[in-house]
């Protein structure tokens, strides 16, 4: 028997089971998450760390240009152009799926939370100091507090400074600072 799994742009996981006598297709709903990161390497590192935690919790990563159940936008505010790109990324996510759960974090979300909250459809604005809580908040939104319950049941704590493995880049990024200071 051969089993293959593919992740189409929607949030439906297709599993193909092929045997010598018959083929079957099983459709299972999965939670699809898309990420968009603007700015510095610190933001890139933090987005990768969030992505890894959410994938360990069973959520599936899809491209930002695809419809997703949730979008995480890690913003930058080093220039007014970066501010505009941050707002544009939020609007692009909402065009992809107006019903998606949209989380905006990063420097622009920290400096201008009112501007972000004014965009209809944004569900959560997260300051830099609370980025580490994004995975737990998102999992709790979609499936209750299973991630926390599973960690408490196993008796293991999350590593405080686990290194994010590079997904697209060839080198890992090590976080040595917070923000632009």
């Amino acid at each position: 028997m051969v089993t293959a799994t593919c992740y189409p742009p929607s949030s439906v996981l297709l599993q193909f089971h092929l045997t010598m006598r018959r083929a079957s297709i099983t459709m299972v709903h999965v939670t699809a998450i898309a990420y968009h990161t603007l700015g510095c390497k610190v933001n890139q590192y933090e987005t990768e760390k969030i992505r890894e935690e959410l994938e360990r919790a069973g959520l599936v990563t899809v491209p930002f240009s695809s419809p997703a159940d949730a979008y995480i936008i890690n913003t930058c505010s080093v220039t007014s152009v970066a501010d505009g790109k941050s707002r544009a990324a939020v609007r692009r996510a909402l065009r992809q799926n107006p019903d998606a759960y949209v989380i905006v974090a990063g420097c622009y979300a920290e400096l201008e939370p009112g501007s972000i909250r004014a965009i209809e459809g944004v569900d959560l604005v997260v300051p830099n100091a609370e980025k580490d809580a994004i995975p737990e908040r998102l999992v709790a939104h979609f499936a209750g507090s299973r991630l926390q319950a599973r960690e408490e049941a196993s008796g293991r704590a999350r590593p405080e400074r686990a290194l994010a493995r590079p997904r697209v880049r060839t080198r890992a990024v090590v976080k040595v600072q917070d923000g632009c200071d």
Side-chain angles (χ1 to χ4, degrees):
M1 177 170 88
V2 176
T3 301
T5 303
C6 69
Y7 301 97
S10 68
S11 59
V12 175
L13 169 69
L14 300 176
Q15 293 181 330
F16 300 95
H17 303 283
L18 303 173
T19 63
M20 293 298 283
R21 296 185 184 155
R22 65 182 190 139
S24 67
I25 298 175
T26 307
M27 292 178 53
V28 180
H29 179 78
V30 295
T31 303
I33 311 295
Y35 306 87
H36 189 72
T37 305
L38 295 131
C40 62
K41 290 185 184 283
V42 172
N43 278 1
Q44 294 170 17
Y45 167 84
E46 290 170 339
T47 300
E48 284 298 306
K49 188 174 173 188
I50 291 165
R51 180 195 54 79
E52 284 180 4
E53 287 187 43
L54 290 172
E55 286 181 352
R56 273 196 300 271
L59 284 71
V60 176
T61 299
V62 297
F64 191 74
S65 59
S66 300
D69 297 308
Y71 293 90
I72 298 174
I73 299 135
N74 200 349
T75 63
C76 178
S77 190
V78 73
T79 65
S80 61
V81 172
D83 292 351
K85 287 182 179 181
S86 297
R87 287 188 303 271
V90 172
R91 288 190 301 269
R92 193 171 342 134
L94 290 167
R95 273 194 308 273
Q96 288 290 334
N97 181 0
D99 297 324
Y101 192 74
V102 177
I103 299 173
V104 183
C107 294
Y108 185 62
E110 174 121 354
L111 295 173
E112 297 290 336
S115 296
I116 293 294
R117 284 189 188 99
I119 300 173
E120 188 176 333
V122 172
D123 296 292
L124 185 60
V125 179
V126 181
N128 283 326
E130 297 176 22
K131 281 184 187 175
D132 287 343
I134 290 174
E136 288 88 0
R137 288 175 146 181
L138 193 59
V139 169
H141 171 76
F142 283 110
S145 301
R146 279 191 255 157
L147 178 65
Q148 183 180 357
R150 189 169 57 223
E151 285 178 353
E152 288 172 0
S154 69
R156 339 176 260 146
R158 262 193 6 228
E160 187 64 31
R161 288 189 46 110
L163 291 177
R165 294 185 331 258
R167 183 178 181 92
V168 178
R169 306 176 89 66
T170 56
R171 297 182 184 152
V173 177
V174 178
K175 182 178 177 180
V176 294
Q177 73 179 43
D178 277 324
C180 297
D181 296 338

